Amino acid sequence: VQLVESGGGLVQAGGSLRLSCVGSGYNFVAYSMGWFRQAPDKAREFVAAIGWNSVTKLYADPVKGRFNISRDNAENTVYLHMNNLTAEDTAVYYCTGGSLSRNSEHHSFWGQGTQVTVSS
């Protein structure tokens, strides 16, 4: 199983980024997908999750209305569209695969992470 994230980088406050994650080595469509993040000296936190058919989406309160999670099952890819970024969004973002849950323990697969840095 492999999850490979891309799209991170440095962006100014108020800007946008789109993270991508390609899954391989498992039945992508059978799993919900998610994103977590970890800022320096902070605990890892849930960001968003999406069900296998994109009907159900979950968001953490700090990102609601600014971030959008989507997936393309034909491409084994999940996306995180991030808008109106703030310095508080600076973190390493991890792609996950598992259950549709805010609990990290319910996510079986994890990527290596991609750094997002928002300059104020």
Side-chain angles (χ1 to χ4, degrees), residues 5-75:
E5 302 100 334
S6 62
L10 175 64
V11 62
Q12 288 188 331
S16 300
L17 276 178
R18 187 185 76 166
L19 304 183
S20 302
C21 171
V22 180
S24 61
Y26 71 106
N27 186 7
F28 183 84
V29 72
Y31 290 85
S32 297
M33 298 296 294
W35 291 92
F36 284 74
R37 67 186 182 185
Q38 187 164 20
D41 300 322
K42 290 189 176 180
R44 185 170 55 190
E45 64 176 0
F46 169 78
V47 175
I50 184 169
W52 72 273
N53 60 359
S54 303
V55 170
T56 303
K57 299 180 182 181
L58 305 177
Y59 294 97
D61 286 343
V63 308
K64 230 175 250 185
R66 300 188 298 122
F67 290 13
N68 180 57
I69 187 170
S70 63
R71 66 189 292 166
D72 183 342
N73 289 337
E75 298 294 330

